[in-house]
Amino acid sequence: MAALDLSHLTPPDAVAALRSYPRRFRSLIRPLADDEDIDEIAHRAGRDGRSVVQVVSDLTRTFVLLEHALQQIAVDDDPVLHPAVLERGSRHWETEPPGSVDEALTLLADAADALAERTATLPAKAWQRTARVAGGGSVTALEVARDAVGAGRDGLDDVERIMREVRG
């Protein structure tokens, strides 16, 4: 799939996208004709070694990280953010994913809603505020929100690919 151009994404657009992700993930993983074996299927690893539940779990943790980054940018005078805010490759967390698809989707919905709410309520003057990132680099609040939308889109693409791979 072609890279998603997020350079013109506005904060209200980001809020709409973030609020849509729980529904989009649920409809992709649990289509109308529910598969009774979906929990087993969702825990099967795709070719890259990750399962659907792992992708959803990693995205949930990423959304939590990015929501905290937005909060820090908005309130701290000289915020320093976790390196994973800039380094997508660092966003594979070393914790066990939830045991069921429904639990993973519920946690994703909670994180997406919190991130959307933080994005929606961030003052306009905060969008261009810059934060340093531990290890080097800097990022604005707007770049964090845009990256959150991109991370969600990448997660959808990964889930769709893994579902095809494990269902054969």
Side-chain angles (χ1 to χ4, degrees):
M1 176 172 270
L4 186 61
D5 178 15
L6 300 171
S7 62
H8 299 291
L9 189 79
T10 65
D13 295 334
V15 170
L18 293 166
R19 287 194 171 136
S20 76
Y21 284 137
R23 174 190 49 79
R24 294 169 71 190
F25 274 90
R26 186 168 293 281
S27 68
L28 186 59
I29 297 169
R30 283 203 169 279
L32 291 177
D34 276 353
D35 188 330
E36 293 177 14
D37 299 322
I38 195 65
D39 278 320
E40 190 271 326
I41 291 168
H43 281 84
R44 289 183 199 162
R47 290 188 191 113
D48 68 355
R50 295 184 307 152
S51 69
V52 165
V53 171
Q54 186 65 54
V55 169
V56 171
S57 181
D58 284 348
L59 181 59
T60 299
R61 288 174 180 88
T62 296
F63 280 176
V64 169
L65 170 80
L66 297 178
E67 190 266 332
H68 287 290
L70 286 177
Q71 178 183 13
Q72 283 183 269
I73 292 170
V75 299
D76 291 351
D77 288 334
D78 188 24
V80 178
L81 307 177
H82 190 282
V85 170
L86 279 183
E87 300 169 15
R88 282 191 175 197
S90 299
R91 295 180 185 170
H92 299 288
W93 311 102
E94 297 297 327
T95 56
E96 275 298 307
S100 74
V101 169
D102 288 333
E103 183 181 358
L105 290 171
T106 297
L107 292 171
L108 177 66
D110 292 346
D113 288 344
L115 181 55
E117 186 63 22
R118 174 76 59 202
T119 303
T121 59
L122 202 67
K125 64 183 178 185
W127 286 110
Q128 294 308 316
R129 287 191 67 177
T130 301
R132 291 182 296 131
V133 177
S138 64
V139 66
T140 67
L142 185 56
E143 290 168 331
V144 170
R146 287 175 175 166
D147 187 56
V149 172
R153 180 65 223 171
D154 291 347
L156 285 169
D157 290 345
D158 289 346
V159 165
E160 188 173 36
R161 177 187 48 77
I162 293 168
M163 291 291 281
R164 277 194 314 270
E165 291 172 4
V166 300
R167 285 192 161 167

